[in-house]
């Protein structure tokens, strides 16, 4: 009974604010305020408020909400584990075999293409401390990749 009275007063106050807003020639805002202020009285008239008050003070309803929340947590936990683990055992085996087949053994060239140096920058070669053969294999790899 108290909740219905309070919500009716809120709706009346909202409609008053909407009237003042419309008087100030802000019709779009006034219409929006009026729409929001009609929601509480609509909830009272449909009986939703009475149902909510009865549910709020019912221990069996809270037990039901608790069970629903627990079920939701269990479902979310299983989804998180499934995403992290990659699904079922069959799906993980299929993904592992597909990954082995997808990797080419001799693919060492970059897929994005050759790197191009900006004009005006000289190409610097790594200097060897001792002999020239120490870094020949490294120089070959760098040249292969365009560095």
């Amino acid at each position: 009974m108290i909740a219905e009275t309070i919500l009716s007063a809120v709706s009346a106050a909202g409609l008053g604010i909407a009237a003042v807003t419309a008087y100030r020639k802000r019709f779009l805002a006034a219409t929006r305020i009026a729409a929001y202020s009609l929601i509480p009285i609509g909830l009272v008239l449909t009986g939703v408020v009475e149902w909510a008050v009865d549910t709020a003070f019912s221990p069996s309803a809270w037990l039901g909400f608790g069970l629903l929340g627990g079920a939701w947590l269990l479902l979310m936990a299983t989804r998180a584990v499934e995403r992290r683990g990659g699904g079922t055992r069959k799906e993980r085996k299929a993904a592992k075999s597909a990954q082995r087949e997808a990797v080419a053994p001799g693919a060492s060239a970059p897929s994005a293409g050759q790197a191009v140096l900006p004009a005006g920058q000289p190409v610097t070669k790594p200097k060897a401390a001792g002999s020239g053969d120490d870094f020949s294999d490294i120089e070959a790899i760098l040249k292969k990749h365009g560095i």
Side-chain angles (χ1 to χ4, degrees):
M1 183 76 164
I2 293 174
E4 288 89 355
T5 305
I6 292 171
L7 290 176
S8 298
V10 167
S11 288
L15 288 174
I17 292 170
V20 170
T21 307
Y23 179 75
R24 293 180 180 172
K25 306 284 186 209
R26 298 186 59 209
F27 297 111
L28 186 63
T31 306
R32 189 176 300 125
I33 292 170
Y36 280 125
S37 66
L38 289 175
I39 291 174
I41 196 72
L43 291 174
V44 168
L45 292 175
T46 57
V48 173
V49 174
E50 185 180 340
W51 172 82
V53 169
D54 290 341
T55 303
F57 296 112
S58 170
S60 61
W62 282 106
L63 182 64
F65 284 127
L67 289 175
L68 288 173
W72 181 79
L73 285 174
L74 288 174
L75 288 172
M76 292 300 110
T78 56
R79 284 189 70 185
V81 169
E82 187 178 65
R83 284 185 180 180
R84 189 168 227 215
T88 62
R89 185 178 295 169
K90 289 181 182 179
E91 291 173 351
R92 286 192 301 265
K93 283 185 180 179
K96 190 180 265 186
S97 66
Q99 185 181 13
R100 277 191 227 130
E101 293 172 0
V103 175
S108 63
S111 60
Q114 298 291 335
V116 179
L117 290 175
Q121 283 188 347
V123 178
T124 58
K125 294 184 181 181
K127 297 179 182 179
S131 64
D133 285 334
D134 290 357
F135 295 103
S136 61
D137 53 344
I138 296 173
E139 287 177 349
I141 293 172
L142 291 173
K143 285 180 183 179
K144 182 179 180 182
H145 290 288
I147 298 174

